[in-house]
């Protein structure tokens, strides 16, 4: 079962769309399973002024995208880098184990967008070089067709 928070962010997602000439863009996902997430960042003085997302996937993926964008808006890029998938899932009141990969996608899309920002601006961001982006995420046995 899904929590009220998951259903709310799925039915009424926040920050949907894209940002033209975004300062950082991160796209992650796996077309095989159908979950693809793209995060757009508008950053000024290392603060995330605006964030938008486009997600193709299940309700949990959309809810995770929506919640994660709410959690990083107005934060510094350093605070956003510290956001974990568990924090996203907890903010949603929990996700079923087979859907936890959706919160992982949200975390990774944000980190990839910040990495893009760093590259575009020739910035070295401590901790970012050690971030591993896993493109082929695991769903568990329950989602196999």
């Amino acid at each position: 079962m899904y929590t009220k928070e998951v259903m709310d962010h799925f039915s009424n997602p926040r920050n949907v769309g894209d940002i033209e000439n975004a300062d950082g863009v991160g796209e992650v996902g796996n077309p095989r399973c159908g979950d693809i997430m793209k995060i757009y960042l508008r950053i000024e003085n290392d603060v995330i002024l605006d964030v938008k997302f486009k997600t193709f996937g299940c309700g949990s993926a959309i809810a995770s995208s929506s919640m994660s964008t709410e959690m990083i808006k107005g934060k510094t890029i350093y605070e956003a880098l510290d956001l974990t998938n568990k924090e996203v899932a907890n903010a949603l009141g929990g996700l079923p184990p087979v859907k936890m990969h959706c919160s992982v996608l949200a975390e990774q899309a944000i980190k990839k967008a910040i990495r893009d920002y760093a590259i575009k601006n020739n910035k070295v961001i401590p901790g970012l070089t050690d971030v591993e982006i896993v493109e082929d995420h695991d769903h568990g046995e329950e989602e196999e067709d």
Side-chain angles (χ1 to χ4, degrees):
M1 277 288 110
Y2 292 109
T3 66
K4 286 182 188 178
E5 291 84 3
V6 170
M7 293 306 296
D8 181 40
H9 277 269
F10 167 66
S11 299
N12 306 293
R14 284 68 151 179
N15 306 308
V16 175
D18 58 16
I19 296 174
E20 191 172 322
N21 301 315
D23 297 307
V25 179
E27 183 173 356
V28 295
N30 185 333
R32 186 183 84 229
C33 72
D35 293 325
I36 301 172
M37 191 175 293
K38 195 167 190 177
I39 299 277
Y40 303 82
L41 302 175
R42 169 78 59 229
I43 300 169
E44 189 174 302
N45 297 319
D46 291 342
V47 175
I48 299 168
L49 298 180
D50 196 12
V51 55
K52 302 281 187 207
F53 78 91
K54 286 186 175 178
T55 294
F56 180 82
C58 65
S60 293
I62 293 167
S64 293
S65 301
S66 175
M67 178 58 82
S68 67
T69 60
E70 287 286 283
M71 294 175 79
I72 66 167
K73 194 176 218 177
K75 305 281 187 194
T76 68
I77 57 174
Y78 307 101
E79 291 169 315
L81 277 174
D82 286 339
L83 182 68
T84 68
N85 74 296
K86 289 179 177 69
E87 291 171 322
V88 174
N90 288 340
L92 288 168
L95 288 170
V98 73
K99 294 296 183 178
M100 280 300 288
H101 71 276
C102 296
S103 63
V104 172
L105 281 177
E107 175 188 343
Q108 291 187 335
I110 290 166
K111 288 178 177 168
K112 202 166 181 184
I114 293 170
R115 179 184 287 166
D116 183 51
Y117 165 74
I119 291 167
K120 287 177 178 175
N121 291 280
N122 201 25
K123 289 180 82 87
V124 175
I125 300 174
L128 188 58
T129 54
D130 298 334
V131 172
E132 181 180 342
I133 307 294
V134 180
E135 294 293 338
D136 192 15
H137 57 279
D138 182 29
H139 290 261
E141 296 300 317
E142 292 92 343
E143 287 195 347
E144 294 293 322
D145 287 331

